[in-house]
Amino acid sequence: MRRLLFNLLPPLLMASIVCLAAELVVRRGWIADYLLPPPSQIWKALTEAGTDLWRGSAFDNKIGGLAATARNAFEGFLASAIGGVAIALLLASNRWVKQAFYPYAVFFQTVPIIAIAPMLVIWCGFGSPTVRAAACIASIFPVIANTYAGLIATDPALRDLFRLYKAGWFSTTFKLRLPSALPNLFTGLRIAAGLAVIGAIVGEFVGGGGLGAVIETAKPQLRNDKIFAAVVLASLLGLVMVSLVNVLSWFALRRWHASERK
């Protein structure tokens, strides 16, 4: 517990300094409050009664904006994790398969998600399906790329040992190659966790619901404080998802990998 508090102290201290500096420059009039709302105003927007940040948005009156974004981002991230590992295993199984399908995996990284988001609405409809699809598409490539890199980097001596004992593909993959790729896999999941939140927000801009809808409705109202509040919540959501991946990584790797033995 003491170690956790010690690790949290530097970022909390830095955040406090940044907030105090932002409050000062706005109150002094050095920056207009419509360009940069002071942290006190953002906090007020976060805590005001009945705000759609917590109680649902104009597009989704069932659950609050944060809850809707969190649910869809997590489901999209889970789909990208499962699908990314499966695709990486397929690419690593054969050189010809890799050459045939890897360019299409790169497609998900090179095409901006905002460019294909309107098409997702046509294919999936408004609401959560589009948001989940956008979150998955935005976050799947890091899982594919990092897992594939780990799979092909398995120690050749260990692979020869498995081959010597006539181990089949299943045993070699799930007892040697995939465990060896776990550090790379968790690196990809950390990147994907943040990208899933970004993809979910983009999906909400066109599909409706969640924090994306809160931002869209706050823009014509010139509620920059509400927009900043939504951005803060989205950033905290990404931080929570990355932290969950870090916890899973610690449990999976702490006994044998140097990255978690500290």
Side-chain angles (χ1 to χ4, degrees):
M1 186 65 180
R2 183 180 300 176
R3 181 178 178 182
L4 177 62
L5 293 176
F6 182 78
N7 291 335
L8 289 176
L9 183 60
L12 290 177
L13 181 62
M14 179 59 65
S16 301
I17 293 173
V18 171
C19 288
L20 288 173
E23 190 79 25
L24 176 64
V25 298
V26 175
R27 288 188 178 274
R28 292 268 183 171
W30 298 337
I31 298 179
D33 58 359
Y34 64 85
L35 294 177
L36 177 65
S40 59
Q41 192 174 342
I42 297 172
W43 176 255
K44 185 178 178 180
L46 280 168
T47 56
E48 65 182 354
T51 177
D52 47 9
L53 291 168
W54 309 105
R55 292 184 175 272
S57 69
F59 298 96
D60 185 358
N61 57 10
K62 295 181 180 179
I63 59 177
L66 177 61
T69 300
R71 182 191 65 187
N72 291 321
F74 179 77
E75 291 178 358
F77 168 72
L78 188 62
S80 70
I82 297 173
V85 171
I87 293 172
L89 288 171
L90 180 65
L91 295 176
S93 64
N94 186 278
R95 182 168 61 93
W96 297 104
V97 173
K98 185 253 182 181
Q99 291 178 344
F101 291 101
Y102 192 74
Y104 297 99
V106 176
F107 169 81
F108 289 104
Q109 181 70 12
T110 56
V111 175
I113 186 63
I114 191 66
I116 62 173
M119 290 187 290
L120 294 178
V121 175
I122 298 173
W123 297 333
C124 304
F126 287 97
S128 294
T130 289
V131 179
R132 288 193 292 264
C136 179
I137 291 172
S139 60
I140 194 171
F141 183 75
V143 182
I144 296 173
N146 283 276
T147 305
Y148 174 76
L151 289 170
I152 64 174
T154 306
D155 189 345
L158 292 177
R159 281 166 34 187
D160 290 340
L161 181 63
F162 269 63
R163 193 177 299 113
L164 178 65
Y165 282 93
K166 302 186 185 306
W169 178 89
F170 186 89
S171 296
T172 302
T173 299
F174 290 95
K175 293 183 180 180
L176 174 62
R177 301 184 74 186
L178 194 56
S180 298
L182 281 179
N184 298 73
L185 169 59
F186 281 113
T187 298
L189 291 177
R190 290 185 185 97
I191 301 171
L195 291 177
V197 177
I198 296 173
I201 297 291
V202 172
E204 288 167 348
F205 284 157
V206 295
L211 295 176
V214 173
I215 294 172
E216 285 292 293
T217 55
K219 283 194 302 182
Q221 300 170 0
L222 300 180
R223 288 291 307 275
N224 284 357
D225 56 337
K226 201 171 187 179
I227 293 174
F228 272 79
V231 171
V232 168
L233 290 179
S235 300
L236 291 176
L237 174 59
L239 181 62
V240 169
M241 292 181 63
V242 172
S243 299
L244 290 176
V245 174
N246 287 336
V247 171
L248 290 175
S249 175
W250 184 79
F251 275 108
L253 305 178
R254 63 191 175 96
R255 295 185 181 277
W256 62 276
H257 198 265
S259 63
E260 298 294 348
R261 298 178 65 181
K262 53 185 178 181

